[in-house]
C-alpha cells in the first residue's frame, strides 16, 4: 500500500491531464480511419455499387456509440470513471483487431464487419462520455475551458493521426491496406490503457463512495494550496448533495415542463444540428467525394484527408485562443453561415457554369471544415455543458448526446445512398440549407451563455428566452 502511494505521488498533473484526455485520440482515430480504409475495402469486397452496405459499415461505429455513451455514463457512476475508461480501452483494442481480421466470406463479410464495428462503437461512445466527465472532475475551475479545448484537440489529432496512417499504408496491397488501417487502432487503445493504469480515480467519485481521505490525496496531486483543497472538497460535497436532491425531484417529463423546455430545446437542438449539418459526410467520405468530382481513384486521394486533418487541428487551437473573447451565439451564427454558403455556392456555380473546375467543390469543403473546426465542433459541447440547470443536467446532457450520435449515424449511413441517386453538389446544397436553418435556430432559440451564471441562464429559460441586455462580462 505504501509502495502504491509513493507511485501515485510521482504522477504529475500534466500526466493526469494528458492521459485523462487521451481517450479523445481513440474517438478521433476511429472517426477518421474509415476515410482511407473504405476505398480499399470497397475494391477488395466489390462493394462499389452497394451504397447501403457501405453506409452501414461506415456508420456502424456511430450506431454503437449511441448506446455506449449512455451505458458508460451509468456504469461509471457505479464503478468509477477510471475503471470504465480502462474497460473502454480493452473493448476498443479487441474489436479493432477483430475489424482488421474480418474473414473474406462474400457479402457475409460486410455483415460481420458491421456487427464488429457496432460493438467497437460502444467503446467510442463510452470514451466520448467518460473523457469529458473525468477531465471536468479533475481540472480546476479556472482551467476547465482550456481543458475542454484540449479534449477537442485530442479528438482532431486522432483524426489527423488516422489520416497519416492511411496515407502511409496506401501503397500496400489492397487487401492488406484496409485491414492494417483498421487493426492499428488497437495501438492508441493500448497506450491509453497503460497510461490510465497510473491515473487516480476522480475525487468526485471517491467522495460519492465515502472515501474522503483518498479524494483529498488525489486533489493533492493536482492542487498546490491546502486551503484550495479544503474548499474544493466542501464544494464537491455540496454539489453532490444538490444533485441527489435534484434527481429525487425530477423525471424525464421535467424536461418538457415550461420552466426548462426552452433550454432543453436549445441544447438538444444545437447538438443535433452539429451533426445534421453534414460535417461527418466530409470526414468519412472525402476520398470518394474527390473521386466523384475528378474521376481519380479514391485510393490515390488520401492526401486530402490529411489536409482537412491539419485544418481541424489548427482550428481547435484557434478556438482555444478565441473561446472567451466572443459570444457563443456570434461564433455559432458566423460559423454556420459560412458553412452553409460553402455547401450551397458550389451547386450555384455549377448551375451557372456547368464546366466549372471539379476541384472547386473540394476547396469549398476545406473552407467549411475550417469554420466548423473553431465554431460548431467545440462550441456545441461547451454550450451543452453550460446551458442546462443543475436539476435537469444529467438527463438533458444525455439526451443531447444521444441526438448528436443519432445525427452522426444517419449522416454516415445516408450520404453514400444520396450521392448514388443525385448529383454531389445537390447533396451538399441540402446540408447547406440545414446549416442556414441552424443559424436561424441559434438566432431565435438559443440564449447567450458566455459570462452568465447558471441562475441567469435558468431565468432566461423561465422567461422563455428573454435574454438580458447586460454585458456578458458583468
Amino acid at each position: 500500500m505504501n509502495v502504491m502511494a509513493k507511485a501515485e505521488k510521482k504522477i504529475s498533473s500534466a500526466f493526469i491531464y494528458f492521459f485523462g484526455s487521451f481517450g479523445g485520440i481513440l474517438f478521433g482515430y476511429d472517426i477518421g480511419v474509415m476515410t482511407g480504409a473504405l476505398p480499399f475495402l470497397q475494391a477488395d469486397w466489390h462493394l462499389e455499387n452497394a451504397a447501403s452496405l457501405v453506409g452501414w459499415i461506415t456508420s456502424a461505429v456511430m450506431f454503437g456509440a449511441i448506446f455506449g455513451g449512455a451505458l458508460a455514463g451509468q456504469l461509471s457512476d457505479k464503478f468509477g470513471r477510471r475503471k470504465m475508461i480502462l474497460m473502454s480501452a480493452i473493448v476498443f483494442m479487441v474489436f479493432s483487431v477483430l475489424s482488421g481480421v474480418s474473414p473474406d466470406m462474400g457479402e457475409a463479410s460486410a455483415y460481420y464487419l458491421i456487427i464488429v464495428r457496432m460493438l467497437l462503437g460502444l467503446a467510442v461512445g463510452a470514451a466520448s462520455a467518460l473523457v469529458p466527465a473525468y477531465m471536468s472532475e479533475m481540472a480546476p475551475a479556472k482551467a476547465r475551458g482550456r481543458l475542454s479545448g484540449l479534449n477537442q484537440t485530442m479528438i482532431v489529432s486522432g483524426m489527423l493521426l488516422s489520416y497519416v496512417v492511411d496515407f502511409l499504408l496506401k501503397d500496400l496491397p489492397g487487401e492488406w491496406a484496409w485491414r492494417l488501417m483498421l487493426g492499428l487502432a488497437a495501438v492508441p487503445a493500448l497506450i491509453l490503457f497503460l497510461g490510465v493504469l497510473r491515473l487516480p480515480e476522480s475525487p468526485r467519485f471517491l467522495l460519492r463512495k465515502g472515501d474522503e481521505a483518498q479524494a483529498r490525496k488525489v486533489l493533492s496531486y493536482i492542487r498546490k494550496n491546502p486551503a484550495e483543497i479544503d474548499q474544493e472538497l466542501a464544494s464537491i460535497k455540496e454539489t453532490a448533495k444538490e444533485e441527489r436532491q435534484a434527481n429525487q425531484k425530477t423525471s424525464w417529463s421535467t424536461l418538457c415542463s415550461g420552466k426548462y423546455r426552452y433550454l432543453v430545446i436549445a441544447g438538444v437542438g444545437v447538438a443535433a444540428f452539429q451533426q445534421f449539418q453534414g460535417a461527418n459526410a466530409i470526414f468519412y467520405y472525402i476520398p470518394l467525394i474527390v473521386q466523384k468530382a475528378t474521376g481519380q481513384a479514391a485510393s490515390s486521394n488520401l492526401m486530402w484527408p490529411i489536409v482537412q486533418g491539419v485544418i481541424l487541428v489548427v482550428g481547435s487551437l484557434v478556438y482555444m485562443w478565441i473561446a472567451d473573447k466572443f459570444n457563443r451565439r456570434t461564433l455559432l451564427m458566423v460559423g454556420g453561415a459560412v458553412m452553409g454558403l460553402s455547401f450551397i455556392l458550389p451547386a450555384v456555380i455549377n448551375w451557372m457554369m456547368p464546366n466549372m473546375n471539379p476541384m472547386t467543390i473540394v476547396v469549398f469543403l476545406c473552407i467549411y471544415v475550417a469554420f466548423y473546426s473553431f465554431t460548431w465542433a467545440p462550441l456545441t459541447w461547451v454550450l451543452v455543458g453550460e446551458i442546462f440547470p443543475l436539476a435537469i443536467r444529467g438527463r438533458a446532457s444525455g439526451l443531447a448526446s444521444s441526438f448528436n450520435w443519432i445525427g452522426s449515424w444517419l449522416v454516415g449511413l445516408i450520404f453514400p445512398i444520396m450521392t448514388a441517386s443525385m448529383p454531389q453538389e445537390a447533396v451538399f446544397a441540402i446540408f447547406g440549407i440545414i446549416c442556414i436553418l441552424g443559424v436561424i435556430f441559434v438566432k431565435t432559440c438559443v440564449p447567450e451563455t458566455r459570462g452568465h451564471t447558471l441562475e441567469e441562464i435558468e431565468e432566461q429559460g423561465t422567461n422563455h428566452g428573454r435574454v438580458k441586455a447586460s454585458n456578458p462580462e458583468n
Side-chain angles (χ1 to χ4, degrees):
M1 187 69 182
N2 291 333
V3 174
M4 177 64 73
K6 289 180 180 179
E8 288 181 343
K9 285 185 178 179
K10 294 178 182 178
I11 303 174
S12 68
S13 59
F15 183 94
I16 290 173
Y17 296 143
F18 178 82
F19 279 102
S21 63
F22 195 83
I25 294 279
L26 271 65
F27 180 18
Y29 188 97
D30 210 82
I31 288 176
V33 70
M34 188 54 76
T35 303
L38 193 57
F40 298 99
L41 176 62
Q42 280 184 296
D44 190 25
W45 285 357
H46 309 291
L47 299 175
E48 290 86 349
N49 298 315
S52 60
L53 276 180
V54 169
W56 269 107
I57 290 171
T58 304
S59 65
V61 165
M62 305 306 152
F63 184 80
I66 297 171
F67 306 98
L71 186 62
Q74 295 181 30
L75 292 177
S76 69
D77 285 340
K78 182 176 182 180
F79 299 109
R81 314 319 187 209
R82 175 181 171 276
K83 287 182 181 178
M84 290 309 301
I85 293 175
L86 286 171
M87 184 60 65
S88 298
I90 293 172
V91 172
F92 200 98
M93 277 189 283
V94 170
F95 289 104
S96 294
V97 172
L98 290 178
S99 296
V101 298
S102 299
D104 196 345
M105 305 178 295
E107 190 172 302
S109 301
Y111 294 110
Y112 165 89
L113 188 55
I114 289 169
I115 293 171
V116 168
R117 282 178 58 77
M118 282 184 183
L119 295 171
L120 177 61
L122 294 175
V124 172
S128 73
L130 292 169
V131 169
Y134 182 85
M135 291 293 286
S136 67
E137 293 177 5
M138 297 296 286
K142 61 184 179 182
R144 280 178 191 149
R146 292 196 306 275
L147 290 173
S148 172
L150 175 61
N151 182 48
Q152 177 66 18
T153 301
M154 283 289 193
I155 292 172
V156 295
S157 296
M159 294 174 68
L160 177 58
L161 174 64
S162 72
Y163 298 148
V164 172
V165 169
D166 290 350
F167 183 80
L168 293 176
L169 298 177
K170 68 182 177 63
D171 293 325
L172 291 176
E175 66 272 17
W176 284 103
W178 69 265
R179 293 180 183 278
L180 275 174
M181 291 172 184
L182 298 183
L184 284 175
V187 175
L190 176 60
I191 295 172
L192 174 67
F193 180 83
L194 295 176
V196 174
L197 279 177
R198 292 195 64 208
L199 292 187
E201 184 53 84
S202 84
R204 182 181 182 128
F205 175 79
L206 292 169
L207 271 180
R208 288 181 62 183
K209 294 299 180 183
D211 194 348
E212 183 172 343
Q214 187 63 23
R216 181 180 294 275
K217 182 184 290 186
V218 172
L219 282 175
S220 71
Y221 305 153
I222 51 180
R223 308 287 188 269
K224 295 181 180 180
N225 190 333
E228 183 183 1
I229 294 174
D230 292 336
Q231 183 178 358
E232 188 160 348
L233 282 172
S235 177
I236 293 173
K237 289 179 183 178
E238 182 61 28
T239 301
K241 179 181 177 181
E242 291 176 0
E243 286 183 343
R244 283 195 298 270
Q245 293 173 347
N247 289 335
Q248 291 172 357
K249 297 178 181 178
T250 61
S251 63
W252 284 105
S253 61
T254 308
L255 303 185
C256 300
S257 66
K259 183 176 182 180
Y260 300 120
R261 187 187 307 120
Y262 170 68
L263 297 177
V264 171
I265 290 173
V268 173
V270 167
F273 267 111
Q274 186 206 42
Q275 290 301 327
F276 283 109
Q277 288 169 337
N280 279 349
I282 304 174
F283 301 150
Y284 298 150
Y285 298 112
I286 185 66
L288 299 181
I289 291 169
V290 177
Q291 174 182 287
K292 192 159 186 176
T294 65
Q296 300 173 357
S299 57
S300 66
N301 287 313
L302 297 188
M303 180 57 73
W304 281 104
I306 295 178
V307 171
Q308 77 174 15
V310 171
I311 293 172
L312 285 167
V313 172
V314 172
S316 73
L317 298 176
V318 169
Y319 166 73
M320 293 175 70
W321 178 54
I322 68 172
D324 296 319
K325 298 181 179 180
F326 297 94
N327 284 346
R328 317 291 193 225
R329 280 164 36 100
T330 300
L331 288 173
L332 288 173
M333 288 190 288
V334 170
V338 176
M339 288 154 54
L341 291 174
S342 299
F343 275 158
I344 294 171
L345 285 177
V348 174
I349 294 172
N350 188 58
W351 174 65
M352 298 175 65
M353 302 169 56
N355 295 321
M356 78 171 187
N357 188 319
M359 290 303 291
T360 301
I361 189 172
V362 180
V363 173
F364 275 105
L365 292 185
C366 289
I367 295 173
Y368 173 100
V369 171
F371 276 81
Y372 175 81
S373 68
F374 67 85
T375 58
W376 281 82
L379 274 171
T380 294
W381 301 113
V382 172
L383 191 140
V384 165
E386 293 173 333
I387 202 169
F388 299 128
L390 179 64
I392 61 168
R393 187 172 300 156
R395 288 184 172 88
S397 297
L399 186 64
S401 179
S402 295
F403 270 82
N404 187 266
W405 281 116
I406 290 169
S408 178
W409 166 59
L410 285 174
V411 168
L413 176 64
I414 67 175
F415 181 77
I417 299 173
M418 293 172 70
T419 55
S421 59
M422 67 178 74
Q424 199 162 240
E425 293 84 358
V427 175
F428 284 120
I430 293 172
F431 286 131
I433 293 170
I434 296 174
C435 289
I436 300 302
L437 292 175
V439 172
I440 296 171
F441 178 81
V442 171
K443 176 69 175 176
T444 58
C445 300
V446 178
E448 181 56 55
T449 60
R450 182 177 75 100
H452 290 284
T453 66
L454 293 179
E455 290 74 22
E456 289 171 339
I457 296 170
E458 186 169 346
E459 183 179 346
Q460 292 178 43
T462 303
N463 296 330
H464 301 286
R466 195 163 57 241
V467 182
K468 292 184 177 180
S470 60
N471 188 315
E473 295 294 334
N474 295 333

